[in-house]
Amino acid sequence: MVEPGQIWRLDRHRLMCGDSTSKADLDKLMNGAKAVMSFNDPPYGMGKASKGVLGDNVYGDQLLEFNAKWIPLCFDALTDVGSWYCFGIDEPLMDIYASILKPMIRSGKITFRNLITGAKPSGIGQLSPDLRCYAKADEKCLFVMKGVQGFNNNSDNYYEGWEPIRKYLDDSKKAMGWTAQDIRRITGVTTVDRHCFGRSQWE
């Protein structure tokens, strides 16, 4: 029988039966350590409480209030450059981004990295000619990192750690005598010179 507060050791990891909205539970689980990644799949408000998904019969503002409790605690448990992933369906994820993450981004606590989209080609209704709206063909995952990370790709926020690679590429281009026009002709892409050799939008 599993009891709240129980912790299991799994090699280097720890697993706990606990409350994600409880700082005391999280502190007990982490035991003074910090995580490098947080991978989350919270209740979506799908009405699955009867199947054992605690809190899944909470919707709208109540669901957002629930998310506002555990998400800040989650970031507190991450290292300074920790990664945070959160799966969900569109509307709850949009609420999380707009109401919880966006203020943290503006205050410099976290950096938005991506909205990852996973294809679901066999979703309900996709092959039905009678469907009245667009069928759900994917699942989303928010990806952010703790702190202000140098991933905005303009020259003002260029990450200097990339400079040895970028400089090597640029020096090699110059040694070949290639111009921006040569790069476009070779690759068939009009913006590749800027993205591969310059500090602005370097990829």
Side-chain angles (χ1 to χ4, degrees), residues 1-10 13-20 22 24-31:
M1 182 80 176
V2 176
E3 297 292 338
Q6 282 185 315
I7 294 176
W8 292 265
R9 293 184 181 273
L10 306 173
H13 302 284
R14 290 158 62 90
L15 175 68
M16 180 182 188
C17 174
D19 181 354
S20 63
S22 166
D25 277 12
L26 190 60
D27 288 345
K28 181 179 178 181
L29 171 66
M30 299 306 294
N31 194 31

Side-chain angles (χ1 to χ4, degrees), residues 29 34 72 76 81 90 97 122-123 139 143-144 155-156 158 160 166 171-172 174 184:
L29 171 66
K34 295 285 187 179
D76 288 343
V81 292
D90 293 7
Y97 178 79
S122 58
E139 185 169 358
F143 171 30
V144 303
S155 59
D156 293 336
Y158 177 74
E160 292 297 334
R166 188 207 65 79
D171 288 347
S172 298
K174 290 172 183 173
R184 292 190 195 105

Side-chain angles (χ1 to χ4, degrees), residues 21-139:
T21 66
S22 166
K23 185 178 185 305
D25 277 12
L26 190 60
D27 288 345
K28 181 179 178 181
L29 171 66
M30 299 306 294
N31 194 31
K34 295 285 187 179
V36 296
M37 183 184 79
S38 177
F39 193 81
N40 309 284
D41 194 5
Y44 301 169
M46 298 293 287
K48 295 181 180 179
S50 62
K51 297 181 180 179
V53 183
L54 189 63
D56 205 48
N57 282 23
V58 177
Y59 310 95
D61 290 343
Q62 286 184 313
L63 182 59
L64 187 58
E65 288 173 16
F66 166 76
N67 289 325
K69 292 177 182 176
W70 70 267
I71 290 175
L73 294 177
C74 203
F75 280 107
D76 288 343
L78 284 176
T79 61
D80 289 342
V81 292
S83 298
W84 185 88
Y85 298 83
C86 185
F87 278 90
I89 57 176
D90 293 7
E91 192 169 5
L93 277 186
M94 287 189 289
D95 284 345
I96 287 172
Y97 178 79
S99 298
I100 302 170
L101 299 183
K102 194 65 175 177
M104 296 175 72
I105 292 168
R106 286 178 176 150
S107 66
K109 293 179 180 177
I110 61 175
T111 301
F112 175 77
R113 285 302 316 276
N114 212 333
L115 178 63
I116 301 168
T117 301
K120 298 177 77 173
S122 58
I124 295 172
Q126 287 185 36
L127 302 179
S128 170
D130 301 318
L131 194 68
R132 295 190 306 162
C133 62
Y134 294 106
K136 290 182 180 177
D138 57 44
E139 185 169 358

Side-chain angles (χ1 to χ4, degrees), residues 169-187 193 197:
L169 292 172
D170 194 46
D171 288 347
S172 298
K173 179 190 78 168
K174 290 172 183 173
M176 293 297 294
W178 289 347
T179 65
Q181 289 75 23
D182 293 324
I183 299 296
R184 292 190 195 105
R185 178 178 48 79
I186 292 167
T187 63
D193 185 64
F197 303 103

